Amino acid sequence: MTKLSVNINKIATLRNARGGNVPDLLQVAKDIQRFGAQGITIHPRPDERHIRYQDARDLKSIVHTEFNIEGNPQHNFIDLVLECKPEQVTLVPDAIGAITSSAGWDTLKHQSYLTEVIQEFKRNGIRTSIFVDPILEMIEGAKAIGTDRIELYTEAFAYQYGLGNLLGIEPYTKASILANELSLGINAGHDLSLDNIKFFKDNIPGLLEVSIGHALISEALYLGLDNVVNMYLQKLK
């Protein structure tokens, strides 16, 4: 079964909109795990506009499934990850001030830098994943830098699927086949939803984990969080 890691950034956004501690991020993380999700993902950004660095520290003792911290490996982020020692760190090439992730790594251009960062995390026993587009050269580059996993950036698939173009899955299937041949674990995320997740999962051999936040929290407004988590779990079986 493909594992579901729930990104709780949107819970932090809602909390920060009013100040205080409503909704309680830590309680939501506990509840999501209790409902059956196999992981919690956070993506702290330098401006801390949603997840704060302190949230990462506080969540370390709360997350008993898989703790996944995403972000651009700048110095403060690297220090935070080494302090918290999550089960997984996912490296994302976000520009400062970016609203959301918009592209995967160029694993050829940034080979030396990524290799150095990944080695530091692996020396500390932290599994590494890097955000990549479904481009075969980038998958090969990911193998060369020594990452444990890739996370396929799925916005393009989701957009094409929404237009009814099922062929939009083909680059992702080819990328996953290559990743399997190279013994790279496969994660995926960005704009995956209840509408498209089963089709995506069924066409990605060896898909280990999906990280879903915006769509899941939005769907939960209508359907209920417990219900939505388990709807995803059923579709991922």
Side-chain angles (χ1 to χ4, degrees):
M1 179 178 177
T2 301
K3 292 183 177 180
L4 172 64
S5 185
V6 178
N7 186 316
I8 58 174
N9 277 22
K10 285 297 182 293
I11 302 299
T13 300
L14 187 59
R15 174 199 63 188
N16 296 353
R18 288 288 296 270
N21 194 39
V22 178
D24 185 331
L25 187 80
L26 301 185
Q27 186 60 50
V28 171
K30 291 177 183 178
D31 290 339
I32 287 171
Q33 294 173 100
R34 178 167 58 85
F35 298 153
Q38 295 107 336
I40 297 292
T41 291
I42 59 171
H43 189 150
R45 287 185 165 86
D47 60 8
E48 297 186 293
R49 64 181 181 270
H50 36 62
I51 291 292
R52 301 165 182 154
Y53 275 38
Q54 187 58 45
D55 291 329
R57 300 181 181 103
D58 294 340
L59 283 163
K60 178 58 181 174
S61 63
I62 298 299
V63 180
H64 59 78
T65 54
E66 178 194 274
F67 193 19
N68 175 43
I69 302 181
E70 297 182 343
N72 193 324
Q74 299 169 343
H75 290 300
N76 288 346
F77 178 83
I78 292 173
D79 290 343
L80 178 71
V81 172
L82 293 177
E83 176 185 349
C84 294
K85 287 190 165 57
E87 283 72 28
Q88 178 174 268
V89 57
T90 301
L91 308 184
V92 182
D94 281 339
I96 293 177
I99 294 175
T100 187
S101 306
S102 59
W105 285 99
D106 184 331
T107 56
L108 305 180
K109 179 179 178 180
H110 300 288
Q111 180 179 9
S112 177
Y113 173 63
L114 289 171
T115 299
E116 180 181 348
V117 172
I118 287 169
Q119 286 177 347
E120 178 65 17
F121 288 138
K122 293 178 78 169
R123 278 195 295 269
N124 283 272
I126 303 169
R127 186 174 73 231
T128 59
S129 178
I130 62 165
F131 206 54
V132 291
D133 295 299
I135 300 170
L136 300 185
E137 291 81 3
M138 297 302 108
I139 307 301
E140 292 170 344
K143 177 64 176 180
I145 64 177
T147 189
D148 300 299
R149 295 187 183 185
I150 57 170
E151 179 172 326
L152 293 171
Y153 172 44
T154 50
E155 181 182 18
F157 155 75
Y159 177 75
Q160 291 299 323
Y161 187 89
L163 297 176
N165 178 20
L166 301 185
L167 296 180
I169 193 66
E170 289 187 353
Y172 294 88
T173 303
K174 292 177 181 177
S176 64
I177 290 171
L178 177 59
N180 286 325
E181 291 174 351
L182 296 174
S183 298
L184 287 171
I186 303 170
N187 298 341
H190 205 92
D191 288 349
L192 296 175
S193 69
L194 282 173
D195 289 336
N196 59 38
I197 185 66
K198 188 176 189 307
F199 180 82
F200 183 81
K201 186 257 184 187
D202 288 346
N203 286 276
I204 303 299
L207 180 63
L208 297 175
E209 176 183 311
V210 292
S211 174
I212 305 178
H214 182 81
L216 188 151
I217 300 303
S218 298
E219 290 155 350
L221 294 176
Y222 293 95
L223 302 171
L225 190 56
D226 186 357
N227 189 36
V228 167
V229 167
N230 280 280
M231 289 172 74
Y232 273 100
L233 293 172
Q234 287 299 316
K235 290 176 180 290
L236 291 169
K237 283 184 178 178

